[in-house]
Amino acid sequence: MGTEGDDFRVIAGRYRLETRLGRGGMGVVWRATDQLLGRRVAVKELAQDDSLSDDEARLHRDRTLREARAVAQLSHPHIIVVHDVVEEGERPYIVMELIDGSSLADRISAHGPVDAAEAARIGIDLLSALRTAHAAGVLHRDIKPANVLVESGTDRVVLTDFGIAQVAGATTLTETGSFVGSPEYTAPERMSGAATGPESDLWSLGVLLCAVLSGESPFRRDSLGGILHAVVAAEIRPPAQAEPLLPVVRGLLERDPDRRLDAREAERMLRAFRETGRTPQPGAASGGRTPRLVAGRTPKPPVPYSPTQRDVPAPATVEQPQARHSARGVLVAALLVAAMAGAGVSAAALLLNRGGGAGGGDTPSSSAPHTTASASPTPTPTGSPSASPTASPSTAANTRTAPSGYRTAQDPAGFSLAVPEDFTRSPQGERVFYLSPGGTFRLGIKVADPEPGGPLAVMRRSAAEGPGNNPGYHDGRVTRTTHAGQPAALWEFTWDGFSAAEGPRHTYDLCWEENGRMYDVWVSAPVGKVREAREYFDVAVDTFVPS
């Protein structure tokens, strides 16, 4: 898997693994030396799951590498720096900044809880980090004291293990590629298997503030069932030590994510406490949440569609809000999890794949089998109904299993992939789109002949044309990556949308070559729904098969 030299293993020809710093559900973290640059680094050696098939292992590895590369694009003093992502012997390694210090969990264990002023400082730093990550479409999904490092000498707070953290132990629910997190710190909507966004990270931060102030989470119980009941149904009782920061804690621990305090307002309130010793109430004008659209912003006129754009104009229909799981429904699922866990049933699979009821199956599970079914045709933005094709028995061998809540579309353009059950096919010239009701989410696919320079050059040319094709284009970045073992390029950017009513959007776009053809798959969504968009994007890419 590597080379031996001076009793140390060297990977990727440059990183010498020297001392094991720790072990968790995701693998081993090493203190290492970058022999090329002569600097100390931390290297996470990701564990391999022997229960996965070769295809599943490859998809999981590709997704892990994509997420790590996304985190590597983040630049913030309170976010761990990812220097490199490499493979050795088909095993991924993530090369990170080496922090000389300990975790916040270890600090509390050794020295006890912190006071309100220190908790506010920690909260401010983490909120600032989350705002940067969320703006880039990256969620953490496992915020807890063990994933926060405190640098010795400077007390700098550093958030680590973005998006890929899994831990072992009786109070952790994990399932490869679908559920990541620790129940004591997991938001109620994630417990229910509903699609989640930045608000879920903010709930976890509220729990973390309680833990650093009192020494433990307010949802700690003696059993998994007790934890799940406490999170989704029991009265929330912040510890007495949280009294100075109670408006922030209560705002973050709001079970309805639509009413939960947002990061900007929570940071403002904590800064006010640091300056005055008193925590103000959430801003009355926004109900504690920062409006998504900036007041006074000059709307840009709609831009006509052109074949070079990666999106389509929004239809005139208004999207109906998605129904949320009721507290009773969440509680039933939680109690079922507790009952079935003792019988050897995967708790995460039960939470994420339960059927029936509004919103069931919103969160995909890449390992769950799903029987494809044709959705009822719905009008497309072009005005003519178009039923999305589904796999037939004769084509099933050329497709990958669709996760729960998805169906496999065998597209006449020469490919198959899994799309959400309510997405409708809408061809647009050389591109094929699958659109959610109302066109809020837009999944696009293009099949073409290879172009000079390969996928990386194609994405860079598209990025150069981004400002002309996407109003308000900003924060665009192109990253070299791989897909299906072939060179690929990932392009991400944010833009203003085609109208003021539509609002800002974020786009993920992956391009690669396979079997003499070039494939381009992208998903566009409102910036407030980037987590759902990333899931649709990952499932589309992971299940894509050329015909």
Side-chain angles (χ1 to χ4, degrees):
M1 181 150 44
T3 59
E4 298 289 342
D6 298 329
D7 298 325
F8 295 122
R9 183 154 53 97
V10 177
I11 62 167
R14 63 184 285 189
Y15 301 110
R16 187 177 65 203
L17 310 185
E18 298 167 351
T19 306
R20 190 164 66 188
L21 297 175
R23 177 186 291 273
M26 279 296 291
V28 179
V29 178
W30 299 86
R31 183 189 299 272
T33 297
D34 180 348
Q35 297 181 122
L36 180 63
L37 299 180
R39 65 180 174 186
R40 308 304 296 272
V41 295
V43 175
K44 177 176 286 188
E45 178 182 3
L46 299 182
Q48 291 179 315
D49 187 346
D50 294 333
S51 67
L52 299 178
S53 67
D54 290 344
D55 280 349
E56 289 172 333
R58 177 182 56 78
L59 292 176
H60 179 54
R61 184 170 65 252
D62 287 349
R63 178 175 294 185
T64 298
L65 292 173
R66 281 202 306 273
E67 290 203 4
R69 287 172 178 132
V71 176
Q73 304 303 311
L74 302 178
S75 177
H76 192 280
H78 301 296
I79 294 177
I80 192 75
V81 176
V82 175
H83 294 308
D84 199 1
V85 181
V86 299
E87 286 187 273
E88 183 83 21
E90 297 188 349
R91 183 183 299 235
Y93 293 78
I94 301 173
V95 183
M96 302 173 290
E97 170 189 15
L98 179 64
I99 303 295
D100 181 14
S102 60
S103 73
L104 190 54
D106 290 339
R107 177 179 175 179
I108 294 170
S109 177
H111 304 291
V114 304
D115 60 21
E118 176 66 358
R121 183 186 75 87
I122 293 169
I124 290 168
D125 291 347
L126 294 179
L127 285 163
S128 178
L130 287 176
R131 286 173 57 194
T132 294
H134 292 165
V138 177
L139 298 191
H140 190 283
R141 295 185 288 171
D142 198 19
I143 293 175
K144 59 187 178 183
N147 286 337
V148 178
L149 302 178
V150 182
E151 189 174 46
S152 299
T154 66
D155 280 344
R156 179 169 68 105
V157 173
V158 182
L159 188 56
T160 188
D161 271 348
F162 267 85
I164 53 176
Q166 296 184 32
V167 296
T171 59
T172 297
L173 302 178
T174 62
E175 181 180 59
T176 301
S178 56
F179 189 96
V180 178
S182 305
E184 287 182 50
Y185 293 87
T186 299
E189 62 270 20
R190 290 201 64 227
M191 288 288 195
S192 74
T196 57
E199 298 85 2
S200 298
D201 278 349
L202 297 175
W203 168 282
S204 301
L205 181 59
V207 183
L208 179 144
L209 288 176
C210 292
V212 300
L213 285 162
S214 68
E216 67 177 22
S217 155
F219 303 111
R220 179 164 297 177
R221 300 293 188 273
D222 293 334
S223 67
L224 176 60
I227 292 172
L228 297 175
H229 179 269
V231 170
V232 303
E235 180 184 357
I236 299 174
R237 296 181 179 178
Q241 296 92 328
E243 180 66 28
L245 305 180
L246 198 57
V248 175
V249 170
R250 287 199 178 278
L252 294 174
L253 296 183
E254 165 60 57
R255 283 197 173 102
D256 182 352
D258 284 341
R259 299 178 58 188
R260 196 169 297 154
L261 198 63
D262 73 9
R264 186 181 299 276
E265 182 71 359
E267 185 178 340
R268 181 192 70 81
M269 294 165 67
L270 290 178
R271 289 189 183 279
F273 172 79
R274 292 272 292 175
E275 294 170 0
T276 67
R278 298 183 60 184
T279 304
Q281 294 298 318
S286 62
R289 295 179 57 82
T290 301
R292 295 191 187 277
L293 296 179
V294 179
R297 181 178 180 175
T298 303
K300 294 180 181 292
V303 176
Y305 173 79
S306 73
T308 59
Q309 291 171 332
R310 289 294 194 274
D311 214 331
V312 293
T317 56
V318 177
E319 179 190 20
Q320 296 298 317
Q322 292 181 338
R324 295 194 177 273
H325 294 279
S326 66
R328 177 180 176 83
V330 175
L331 177 57
V332 169
L335 294 180
L336 282 172
V337 169
M340 297 300 287
V345 176
S346 167
L350 181 60
L351 279 172
L352 294 172
N353 297 312
R354 63 191 185 91
D362 283 346
T363 302
S365 169
S366 60
S367 60
H370 177 67
T371 303
T372 59
S374 177
S376 301
T378 55
T380 68
T382 57
S384 59
S386 174
S388 299
T390 56
S392 64
S394 63
T395 61
N398 296 324
T399 63
R400 295 195 175 104
T401 302
S404 177
Y406 289 72
R407 57 187 170 81
T408 299
Q410 187 71 34
D411 200 279
F415 57 85
S416 68
L417 80 170
V419 300
E421 290 178 339
D422 59 350
F423 277 34
T424 304
R425 185 176 187 267
S426 177
Q428 300 280 340
E430 60 183 350
R431 291 167 169 77
V432 175
F433 288 91
Y434 285 86
L435 308 177
S436 68
T440 300
F441 296 97
R442 305 166 194 161
L443 166 60
I445 307 99
K446 178 185 176 183
V447 183
D449 292 328
E451 297 185 26
L456 187 63
V458 169
M459 289 290 93
R460 284 175 173 169
R461 286 194 291 269
S462 296
E465 298 168 355
N469 293 328
N470 300 276
Y473 176 93
H474 62 95
D475 293 335
R477 57 183 178 273
V478 175
T479 307
R480 187 196 306 270
T481 183
T482 59
H483 176 68
Q486 301 298 318
L490 176 66
W491 176 30
E492 287 188 56
F493 61 91
T494 304
W495 54 297
D496 288 348
F498 287 114
S499 68
E502 182 177 61
R505 299 179 68 84
H506 191 80
T507 297
Y508 300 97
D509 189 345
L510 184 72
C511 180
W512 76 97
E513 290 182 16
E514 188 173 354
N515 299 330
R517 299 289 279 166
M518 179 168 285
Y519 297 95
D520 193 357
V521 176
W522 66 95
V523 170
S524 169
V527 293
K529 297 180 180 291
V530 289
R531 175 57 189 157
E532 294 145 275
R534 185 59 187 253
E535 289 176 352
Y536 297 154
F537 176 71
D538 282 341
V539 170
V541 169
D542 289 349
T543 61
F544 190 95
V545 177
S547 298

